[in-house]
Amino acid sequence: MANLIERWIRDDIRALSAYHVANPTGYIKLDAMENPYHWPDSLKAEWVEVLKQCELNRYPDASGQDVKNSLRACFNIDELQQVMLGNGSDEIIQCIAMAMAKPGSTLLSPEPSFVMYKMIATFVGMEYVGVPLNKDFQLDMPAMLAAIEKHQPAIIFLAQPNNPTGTLYSEADLREITEKAEGLVVIDEAYMAFTDTNSLPLLGEYDNLVVMRTLSKVGLAGLRLGFLVGSQDWLTEFDKVRMPYNVNVLTQASVTFALKNFDVLKRQTDAIKKERNMLMQRLEGIGLEKIWPSEANFILVRTPKDTAKTIFDAMKEQGVLIKCLHGAHPLLKDCLRLTVGAPKENEAMFLALQKSLQTLLRKR
Ligand SMILES: *Cc1c(COP(=O)(O)O)cnc(C)c1O
């Protein structure tokens, strides 16, 4: 068997490790930036009625027209821009990369950032170039511009705000990169619900810019719906590599329904934003080395030297699952990422973190 695998599976795929998802059973789950809130029962009942109308024997609407119309209305998408749907924005990243992966072409992204950029570059056989952020997790502009000049990337991914750092890049930097890049710039606004910044207005100004968003962090992670906004010229090409029925009937019906009731989701994400700001203040003064400002629904913190994994394990022991990023990138040394959940979950997380830190500090 092993020699079959070695002979036929690509070397670069064998060298990868699969995207790791921790088993969350029994834990307070604060590791994946999910919205913790549910819908009111009355809304759930209405939704079930919508689902009853779905024809599971039929293929979904291949163009997803209803979903696109709802997205346009909900997010004020300019009529000059087109919309493409993905099975999560992960799939959109894949479509863009597949369409642009000429032999020897490069995908560039600041680091640390969303890990799927690099993984997908590998899947499609593109060269990947990661340009380290500076210590404040801002773009290192001289390094970015030098790398763009040197590698002439086909695609640049910029997550705004960035995951796993939670930080925002300045609009001036985004503009300068888009102006200097000859290839396509993709601004990934996965956390749009938790920040006031919005790159959609930039679209009309640059031929080489598209904006990607997702409903996952808003509260619909289970449905898998991402979308890309940009000009007809780009989206026509990306649409060719999209699987025709990539967004299933239940997702299409549910998304249209959810966007009609977007005020419910908006109240939830506003509550998460408030919780985030309170939590950020509370985290001061419990012995953390650093807390980065966040424009997303998570907070990145640095623990005392060489304690991140111990604290992560201790918190897990206390029933709280977060994300340990120590080892993921040199700049993430001793870092933990805390997803902001419901007040009770945040309380449990805070207490577990505080207790783990105290225990450690006492031992020193
Ligand atoms: C979570 C996340 C995504 C992926 O979202 P899906 O739509 O669930 O695939 C994309 N980009 C960033 C920066 C993310 O954090």
Side-chain angles (χ1 to χ4, degrees):
M1 191 70 181
N3 54 354
L4 272 180
I5 300 302
E6 200 174 309
R7 178 168 170 204
W8 295 109
I9 300 286
R10 284 161 45 182
D11 294 346
D12 51 358
I13 299 298
R14 279 193 291 120
L16 286 176
S17 32
Y19 185 79
H20 175 71
V21 179
N23 179 359
T25 315
Y27 291 103
I28 294 176
K29 188 173 185 314
L30 297 173
D31 66 333
M33 284 79 83
E34 291 145 325
N35 172 341
Y37 297 110
H38 299 280
W39 291 354
D41 285 341
S42 59
L43 196 63
K44 276 190 191 164
E46 259 185 78
W47 168 58
V48 169
E49 290 309 311
V50 170
L51 292 185
K52 278 186 192 165
Q53 308 295 319
C54 289
E55 296 194 292
L56 300 186
N57 55 321
R58 303 286 176 199
Y59 282 105
D61 173 3
S63 69
Q65 203 51 58
D66 287 350
V67 174
K68 287 181 188 170
N69 292 342
S70 318
L71 289 169
R72 282 183 176 283
C74 196
F75 298 107
N76 279 318
I77 297 170
D78 191 296
E79 57 189 21
L80 294 173
Q81 304 300 329
Q82 299 301 307
V83 179
M84 181 177 121
L85 306 181
N87 192 316
S89 46
D90 287 348
E91 191 192 40
I92 292 179
I93 301 170
Q94 193 182 40
C95 288
I96 296 173
M98 273 197 288
M100 298 183 73
K102 291 188 182 183
S105 61
T106 296
L107 187 156
L108 182 145
S109 167
E111 276 187 352
S113 188
F114 189 47
V115 292
M116 292 310 291
Y117 305 148
K118 182 178 182 177
M119 287 192 77
I120 289 174
T122 308
F123 298 166
V124 302
M126 291 180 88
E127 302 294 328
Y128 171 81
V129 173
V131 180
L133 293 167
N134 68 26
K135 283 216 164 66
D136 299 326
F137 292 137
Q138 283 300 312
L139 291 165
D140 179 345
M141 285 304 283
M144 282 296 286
L145 297 178
I148 289 169
E149 173 80 28
K150 178 171 173 207
H151 299 283
Q152 287 298 318
I155 319 171
I156 300 173
F157 276 100
L158 300 165
Q160 169 80 335
N162 188 38
N163 171 14
T165 61
T167 44
L168 272 184
Y169 305 136
S170 78
E171 187 181 307
D173 287 352
L174 297 182
R175 281 179 180 276
E176 189 170 6
I177 287 171
T178 309
E179 281 158 21
K180 299 277 163 64
E182 294 179 31
L184 180 70
V185 175
V186 184
I187 298 184
D188 178 351
E189 294 190 329
Y191 298 94
M192 67 210 174
F194 309 99
T195 175
D196 293 330
T197 60
N198 171 11
S199 302
L200 290 177
L202 298 183
L203 283 173
E205 295 186 45
Y206 301 102
D207 281 346
N208 62 332
L209 181 69
V210 293
V211 174
M212 188 173 73
R213 292 183 164 191
T214 174
L215 299 182
S216 293
K217 313 301 172 12
V218 180
L220 302 172
L223 289 180
R224 311 300 299 129
L225 192 96
F227 57 105
L228 186 67
V229 186
S231 70
Q232 176 94 56
D233 293 330
W234 285 108
L235 267 59
T236 299
E237 301 306 320
F238 300 145
D239 211 45
K240 293 177 187 171
V241 297
R242 179 182 65 86
M243 293 294 152
Y245 304 117
N246 62 332
V247 182
N248 72 72
V249 277
L250 298 180
T251 294
Q252 292 198 24
S254 302
V255 165
T256 308
F257 176 80
L259 293 179
K260 255 186 221 143
N261 297 282
F262 197 69
D263 56 317
V264 175
L265 294 174
K266 175 86 169 71
R267 276 198 294 277
Q268 295 177 346
T269 53
D270 284 349
I272 294 169
K273 251 183 2 190
K274 260 204 197 134
E275 277 288 310
R276 172 194 72 199
N277 296 343
M278 290 193 316
L279 194 56
M280 239 151 44
Q281 290 195 342
R282 273 188 93 187
L283 290 170
E284 302 279 350
I286 61 166
L288 292 165
E289 291 293 313
K290 191 164 169 69
I291 302 151
W292 278 274
S294 170
E295 290 278 317
N297 60 343
F298 59 85
I299 301 169
L300 186 75
V301 300
R302 173 163 285 141
T303 62
K305 193 170 185 304
D306 297 329
T307 61
K309 183 66 168 64
T310 312
I311 290 173
F312 170 81
D313 289 337
M315 289 179 73
K316 207 169 161 189
E317 196 73 19
Q318 294 168 78
V320 181
L321 185 65
I322 56 162
K323 180 85 175 176
C324 180
L325 290 164
H326 180 78
H329 188 277
L331 288 169
L332 294 172
K333 198 168 154 10
D334 305 313
C335 285
L336 299 174
R337 188 186 63 195
L338 317 168
T339 296
V340 180
K344 271 191 183 153
E345 297 175 313
N346 299 334
E347 181 66 19
M349 186 245 291
F350 178 81
L351 293 175
L353 176 57
Q354 189 181 41
K355 189 172 162 203
S356 313
L357 273 164
Q358 278 170 354
T359 309
L360 263 174
L361 296 174
R362 224 178 291 129
K363 277 191 199 149
R364 291 190 159 190

